[in-house]
Amino acid sequence: MKTIIELMTDEFKKAFAECGYSEEYARITISNRPDLCEFQCNGAMAAAKTYKKAPFVIADEIVAKLTSNGMFDTIESVKPGFINIKVSAGYLSDYLNKMSEDDKYGYENSEEAKTVIVDYGGANAAKPLHVGHLRSAVIGESVKRINRYAGNNTIGDVHLGDWGLQMGLIIEELRDRKPELPYFDEAYTGEYPSEPPFTISELEQIYPAASAKSKEDEEFAKRAHESTLKLQSGDRACTAIWKHIMNVSKKDLKKNYDNLNVSFDLWKGESDAQPYIKDMVDKMVEDGIAYESQGATVVDIAEPTDTKELPPCIVRKSDGAALYATSDLATIVEREKLYKPDTYIYLADKRQELHFTQVFRTAKKAGIVRPDADMRFVGFGTMNGKDGKPFKTRSGGVMRLEHLISDINEVILNKIKENRSMTDEEADNISKIVGLAALKYGDLSNQASKDYVFDVDRFASFEGNTGPYILYTIVRIKSILAKYKETGVSVGDLTILPSKEQSEKALSLALIKFSDVIDGAYKDNAPHKICQYIYEVSNSFNGFYHNTKILAEEDKKQQESYIALITLTKEILETCIDLLGIQCPDRM
């Protein structure tokens, strides 16, 4: 279904052609002066130089061709050559009715469906999720959902850090704490226990203790390094402990990601890439792509168009060990083998841009992916405290994500209890939904690449550009529709009539932007564009609500039109918040 701008453009193209001008000048945009008009065409200004005519003369000719067109309420030429447009209320209502009948409210992805891998987890095994994992999780989840809405076969991968030195550290700390375990008896030949030798709470204590010890105890650090190599070489005891670590960690991570309403299709990690590393690096050397430099094996990635010097990508250290880049490249080898993606999207801190530039260029140079492979890095900024520094606990530590969620839920719960009469259980359930919306919207409403300040009071507000405000708007619409149904009427097959006053038309004009907004969010991997849109729709609805007596309207047909309009509004808002990974309660 074409957007209204596309339909207007078609009419303008005909007019420009009939007047002897190129169709390329028939470009329509949303007006930057809504007090004057709704849409505008500045093509006459651009055409003036080519055709050696005054722009207002060209504009006058175009307007003359379109004045009687039923699409427009008013269309006028304004010196020096602007064309100001207001769409007719009848045409607008017809378009809205067609949107209501369409499964995706008129949105169509002009591209062919693709297979897309979204890599947006990045959590480390044996460590709890903390605030630093928030942005990757919530932005990545939204990018995944938007891609699916666009019709792509989209695969989300958590890509756990599960194969590094932290495993050797945990193994050796466990040895010191529980030397009696069979894993540390070299003479043991039986089956290892199926139950893990630690709980998640114990595991989360073991790693930081081991990490601190390794910085003070050289012998312990050496043991941890040796255990890591033994694990990576397939040692039976180390592998058994590693499996316990992974089983306990994954269970806890899934619980915490579930609390964020974030899910993954794949729970793979760096360990899954290890079988591909040796052959991959050896082939790079054989093909002359990789070479030895100061004992390490590297790949040059510099290109003639680079504006700054880029260092080579190290794929093997001098001691033979692999690096993050090696693991990421081997992961791409596995993904090409198993999924053959058309597009790769990686979510990570924007400070990792060089890393991903190295990985992408090496993957293309080595033939792991095709030369024109679509590989995108979505780098995000930092979540800061009110002091402008990365968000910390009051004691100065890194806050666990579950504690952050709990804190914002408590703020929302107190607000609900102050203003509403409901059971403790209902208030608690609602506060969890609204609190998560406050947290995720507070993050997603910012352009991903920018830093932002985490302000729990602002995010939890029921006014302004916040998650609770958006949800409250949806709940308000739900309430109106529920009361309308209580009168015994059906809300199906209702028709939106031409708008009678400005707030109603303003809402209609906001709704018709849906396709363009989704298309922009999809192409730019930009959930913040959806946030901007639903804030506009919510404001437009609330303006309409305050100006219109919907349930008290005596004209039945007019009332049905209002109900149809706000039903479409609710459905579009619900679709959009779902693309953000946000849910809405039935009441607040």
Side-chain angles (χ1 to χ4, degrees):
M1 184 174 164
K2 287 188 175 183
T3 66
I4 274 194
I5 286 182
E6 288 172 333
L7 292 167
M8 283 187 192
T9 300
D10 289 343
E11 297 302 310
F12 269 73
K13 281 182 177 180
K14 291 177 193 174
F16 270 87
E18 288 172 7
C19 293
Y21 306 118
S22 172
E23 292 181 354
E24 68 177 300
Y25 298 109
R27 291 190 294 271
I28 310 296
T29 60
I30 295 172
S31 173
N32 57 15
R33 287 289 306 275
D35 55 318
L36 298 178
C37 59
E38 297 158 356
F39 301 90
Q40 62 192 65
C41 174
N42 300 335
M45 302 291 289
K49 185 176 181 180
T50 302
Y51 293 99
K52 296 179 173 56
K53 282 187 179 182
F56 74 86
V57 172
I58 297 174
D60 286 347
E61 292 178 56
I62 302 303
V63 168
K65 289 284 184 183
L66 294 169
T67 300
S68 60
N69 192 310
M71 178 182 286
F72 309 113
D73 181 22
T74 61
I75 179 167
E76 58 182 346
S77 170
V78 180
K79 287 185 177 182
F82 301 115
I83 300 175
N84 291 352
I85 308 158
K86 289 187 178 180
V87 67
S88 79
Y91 191 89
L92 189 58
S93 63
D94 287 344
Y95 190 86
L96 290 170
N97 285 315
K98 289 174 184 175
M99 281 180 65
S100 300
E101 295 166 2
D102 189 88
D103 289 342
K104 291 186 177 180
Y105 311 105
Y107 170 69
E108 292 178 3
N109 180 8
S110 59
E111 303 172 346
E112 289 187 10
K114 299 182 292 189
T115 295
V116 179
I117 291 274
V118 184
D119 185 319
Y120 66 106
N124 288 309
K127 300 180 187 178
L129 290 179
H130 57 74
V131 293
H133 295 110
L134 176 69
R135 302 214 70 189
S136 179
V138 301
I139 300 170
E141 179 70 15
S142 183
V143 166
K144 179 190 75 178
R145 290 174 180 234
I146 292 167
N147 268 269
R148 283 190 177 153
Y149 195 77
N152 292 331
N153 171 32
T154 309
I155 303 164
D157 189 355
V158 70
H159 195 63
L160 295 171
D162 66 349
W163 204 241
L165 180 60
Q166 80 260 34
M167 296 301 169
L169 290 167
I170 293 168
I171 290 168
E172 289 308 306
E173 179 67 15
L174 189 64
R175 185 195 300 273
D176 288 353
R177 293 186 181 203
K178 300 182 179 181
E180 73 282 0
L181 291 173
Y183 313 99
F184 308 120
D185 181 356
E186 294 185 5
Y188 187 80
T189 58
E191 290 291 322
Y192 289 120
S194 58
E195 290 298 312
F198 41 67
T199 65
I200 184 62
S201 297
E202 290 172 327
L203 184 59
E204 289 175 358
Q205 293 172 1
I206 288 172
Y207 173 72
S211 180
K213 187 187 293 186
S214 70
K215 293 169 185 173
E216 299 174 356
D217 185 337
E218 287 187 15
E219 179 58 31
F220 179 80
K222 181 180 177 183
R223 282 166 44 200
H225 185 72
E226 289 171 351
S227 282
T228 302
L229 292 177
K230 285 170 69 177
L231 169 64
Q232 295 177 355
S233 301
D235 179 81
R236 178 171 171 262
C238 289
T239 299
I241 296 172
W242 175 81
K243 287 181 178 178
H244 286 313
I245 294 171
M246 293 310 298
N247 288 336
V248 171
S249 290
K250 282 183 179 179
K251 184 177 179 181
D252 184 65
L253 285 170
K254 284 180 179 178
K255 180 192 76 174
N256 281 285
Y257 277 122
D258 282 346
N259 288 340
L260 270 179
N261 196 20
V262 168
S263 64
F264 299 93
D265 306 286
L266 303 177
W267 279 81
K268 287 181 172 288
E270 293 171 342
S271 59
D272 292 284
Q274 301 311 301
Y276 301 94
I277 287 179
K278 184 179 185 304
D279 289 347
M280 177 189 73
V281 177
D282 288 348
K283 186 175 187 302
M284 288 182 190
V285 174
E286 289 170 13
D287 292 345
I289 300 297
Y291 63 94
E292 187 174 315
S293 175
Q294 298 179 348
T297 305
V298 305
V299 176
D300 285 330
I301 61 146
E303 295 178 355
T305 55
D306 291 337
T307 56
K308 60 182 178 181
E309 185 177 346
L310 295 178
C313 179
I314 302 173
V315 293
R316 186 160 55 201
K317 292 170 68 176
S318 56
D319 62 0
L323 294 93
Y324 284 123
T326 324
S327 176
D328 281 345
L329 285 163
T331 298
I332 295 172
V333 172
E334 183 191 44
R335 287 168 175 170
E336 285 291 316
K337 178 182 177 182
L338 299 179
Y339 310 109
K340 295 181 172 55
D342 299 293
T343 299
Y344 289 87
I345 302 173
Y346 289 80
L347 281 293
D349 188 301
K350 64 183 178 183
R351 289 170 291 188
Q352 294 193 43
E353 183 174 8
L354 173 60
H355 167 79
F356 284 101
T357 298
Q358 291 176 318
V359 169
F360 294 169
R361 290 190 181 183
T362 301
K364 292 180 179 182
K365 190 172 184 177
I368 296 171
V369 298
R370 65 184 189 277
D372 63 343
D374 185 10
M375 308 188 82
R376 309 181 194 181
F377 170 58
V378 180
F380 51 79
T382 307
M383 184 179 89
N384 296 325
K386 291 183 180 180
D387 59 359
K389 298 177 181 179
F391 193 85
K392 301 282 186 182
T393 61
R394 289 181 181 176
S395 61
V398 178
M399 180 177 278
R400 290 178 63 151
L401 195 50
E402 61 185 294
H403 295 161
L404 183 71
I405 294 172
S406 177
D407 286 352
I408 201 163
N409 287 353
E410 185 177 352
V411 173
I412 295 291
L413 179 61
N414 291 335
K415 285 177 177 286
I416 290 173
K417 285 185 172 180
E418 284 174 12
N419 298 296
R420 297 288 181 273
S421 175
M422 58 180 69
T423 66
D424 289 345
E425 182 181 6
E426 185 179 13
D428 188 56
N429 290 335
I430 291 173
S431 70
K432 289 177 180 176
I433 296 172
V434 180
L436 186 56
L439 180 65
K440 296 179 83 168
Y441 190 91
D443 188 299
L444 292 169
S445 58
N446 297 278
Q447 188 172 335
S449 61
K450 294 182 178 179
D451 300 345
Y452 75 93
V453 173
F454 180 84
D455 184 339
V456 66
D457 294 325
R458 181 169 66 84
F459 290 177
S461 174
F462 281 62
E463 298 177 353
N465 189 13
T466 68
Y469 172 71
I470 304 299
L471 296 193
Y472 189 74
T473 300
I474 298 172
V475 168
R476 171 174 275 169
I477 300 173
K478 285 184 178 182
S479 175
I480 295 169
L481 294 176
K483 290 176 181 175
Y484 182 72
K485 286 180 183 177
E486 287 173 3
T487 64
V489 296
S490 171
V491 294
D493 299 324
L494 302 182
T495 300
I496 299 172
L497 300 176
S499 55
K500 287 187 171 182
E501 56 90 30
Q502 189 52 43
S503 66
E504 184 182 358
K505 191 174 187 184
L507 175 56
S508 301
L509 288 168
L511 295 176
I512 64 169
K513 296 178 183 177
F514 176 77
S515 290
D516 283 327
V517 169
I518 300 301
D519 192 54
Y522 164 62
K523 288 178 177 174
D524 297 337
N525 293 310
H528 75 277
K529 292 187 175 183
I530 294 178
C531 293
Q532 291 171 348
Y533 173 65
I534 57 178
Y535 182 52
E536 178 188 351
V537 171
S538 296
N539 280 339
S540 296
F541 166 76
N542 285 312
F544 168 68
Y545 169 79
H546 289 299
N547 286 339
T548 310
K549 296 179 179 179
I550 300 172
L551 294 176
E553 173 59 53
E554 295 180 357
D555 183 324
K556 187 174 183 301
K557 287 293 182 184
Q558 186 61 60
Q559 186 182 59
E560 288 178 350
S561 174
Y562 292 156
I563 294 298
L565 180 62
I566 68 170
T567 298
L568 178 60
T569 304
K570 177 183 79 77
E571 291 171 355
I572 284 179
L573 287 173
E574 287 177 331
T575 297
C576 288
I577 65 167
D578 184 64
L579 294 177
L580 300 175
I582 292 172
Q583 298 172 320
C584 182
D586 290 327
R587 56 176 289 199
M588 284 169 65

